[in-house]
Amino acid sequence: MTQRRVPYLILAPGLILLILFLVLPLISTIFPTFFNGGFTFSNYTSFFLDEYNFGIFWRTIKISLIATLICVVLGVPTAYYISQSPKKWRGLLMSITLFPLLTNSVVRSFAWITILGQDGILNNALMNIGLLSKPLTMLYTEFAIVIGSVYLFLPLMVITLVGILENIDSEIMEAAETLGANRLIAFVKVILPLSVPGIIVGSILVFTGSLTAYTTPQLLGGNRNIMLATFLYQNATALGNWQGASVIALIMIVATLIVMKLFSWIAGRMDKRGEASA
């Protein structure tokens, strides 16, 4: 009987801290948003009915999904290359991949400001080679937020996928090529379906990070391209509207959970399709 209680005793301190410092503060923050003289959803309906607020919500979801898609497209071949590299080079490649995570997000964002600015490195390079007659407006746009988000969260996608792809037997690829498929078709038809679990986990990490990021949208998007995280900060600090900030916080949580469920559903459908094909 005592041995059965050991796991619960080990978990108890962590669960208590989680409840005290996460669950209870979250409930105390969100609970008042449902009461305005009685139980109501008016705070949330008014948020979505407001054109400005809905525009911020849609911009956040759109940028997060675009950043996630780009990370998948770039992350899968990169992770596959790393997983197939010799072990003596694999550690070095993983270190290079992880390097962006070792620098502060503010520093990374300022680096992109020097690259994407009107007098930045990219505009100067394009003008010097004659592709542009005047600098492009890339900074303080949705494009800049997407670039910053991809740079910020692509390592998470690659790390997640490397662990999955390393466990795929290389003989499967050889068997596909023996049956007449070239390397590209074999990769798409064989390796890609087997890497779906890693893609789903990586997508959830990237989407959640992009949705909740504050520094990158604030520095690269400016005041014209506000996202939910920056909008929450403005309501809580600049405006002192804590109830509005709580509404935004719950919307971000629910949106994240819905997208996670959607990704899981997609993964389940793909698994069933793979079993049916087999």
Side-chain angles (χ1 to χ4, degrees), residues 7-269:
Y8 297 103
L9 292 174
I10 294 173
L11 289 173
L15 288 175
I16 292 172
L17 290 174
L18 193 65
I19 292 171
L20 288 177
F21 296 105
L22 178 62
V23 177
L24 291 180
L26 189 61
I27 292 174
S28 64
T29 300
I30 293 173
F31 191 73
T33 64
F34 291 100
F35 290 90
N36 186 14
F39 186 81
T40 178
F41 289 100
S42 60
N43 288 320
Y44 297 92
T45 55
S46 61
F47 178 90
F48 285 106
L49 290 175
D50 186 282
E51 185 177 350
Y52 178 75
N53 293 345
F54 185 78
I56 294 174
F57 172 80
W58 172 242
R59 181 185 300 116
T60 304
I61 298 297
K62 179 179 66 176
I63 289 176
S64 300
L65 288 174
I66 292 173
T68 302
L69 179 61
I70 294 174
C71 284
V72 171
V73 173
L74 297 178
V76 172
T78 302
Y80 182 71
Y81 178 80
I82 294 175
S83 67
Q84 298 302 308
S85 300
K87 289 185 177 180
K88 64 178 181 179
W89 295 110
R90 200 175 301 168
L92 176 61
L93 293 173
M94 287 295 293
S95 299
I96 295 172
T97 303
L98 289 169
F99 180 76
L101 298 178
L102 303 178
T103 56
N104 187 274
S105 59
V106 176
V107 175
R108 282 176 285 183
S109 296
F110 273 111
W112 279 108
I113 289 175
T114 63
I115 295 172
L116 301 176
Q118 290 279 344
D119 195 30
I121 297 172
L122 184 57
N123 269 318
N124 285 333
L126 293 174
M127 292 176 67
N128 288 335
I129 61 178
L131 292 179
L132 293 177
S133 58
K134 60 180 181 179
L136 292 174
T137 302
M138 293 182 283
L139 190 60
Y140 307 128
T141 61
E142 293 183 3
F143 169 77
I145 301 176
V146 170
I147 293 295
S149 299
V150 170
Y151 178 73
L152 188 62
F153 298 112
L154 181 59
L156 296 179
M157 178 66 74
V158 174
I159 294 168
T160 304
L161 285 168
V162 167
I164 298 293
L165 293 171
E166 281 181 337
N167 295 321
I168 298 177
D169 194 341
S170 59
E171 293 181 357
I172 297 177
M173 192 76 165
E174 295 175 3
E177 293 177 2
T178 301
L179 293 172
N182 58 42
R183 291 192 65 85
L184 179 60
I185 294 176
F187 179 82
V188 173
K189 296 288 187 179
V190 179
I191 301 300
L192 196 59
L194 292 175
S195 64
V196 166
I199 292 174
I200 297 300
V201 174
S203 297
I204 291 172
L205 292 174
V206 174
F207 180 85
T208 304
S210 301
L211 182 77
T212 58
Y214 169 77
T215 305
T216 299
Q218 178 65 30
L219 294 178
L220 298 181
N223 294 326
R224 294 183 179 179
N225 297 283
I226 296 175
M227 293 180 64
L228 284 177
T230 52
F231 194 39
L232 187 154
Y233 179 83
Q234 287 181 359
N235 275 269
T237 58
L239 303 177
N241 182 10
W242 285 96
Q243 188 175 69
S246 301
V247 170
I248 298 169
L250 183 58
I251 289 172
M252 293 172 69
I253 293 171
V254 173
T256 302
L257 293 175
I258 290 174
V259 172
M260 288 174 62
K261 187 67 176 178
L262 177 62
F263 286 156
S264 300
W265 178 80
I266 293 172
R269 295 288 295 180

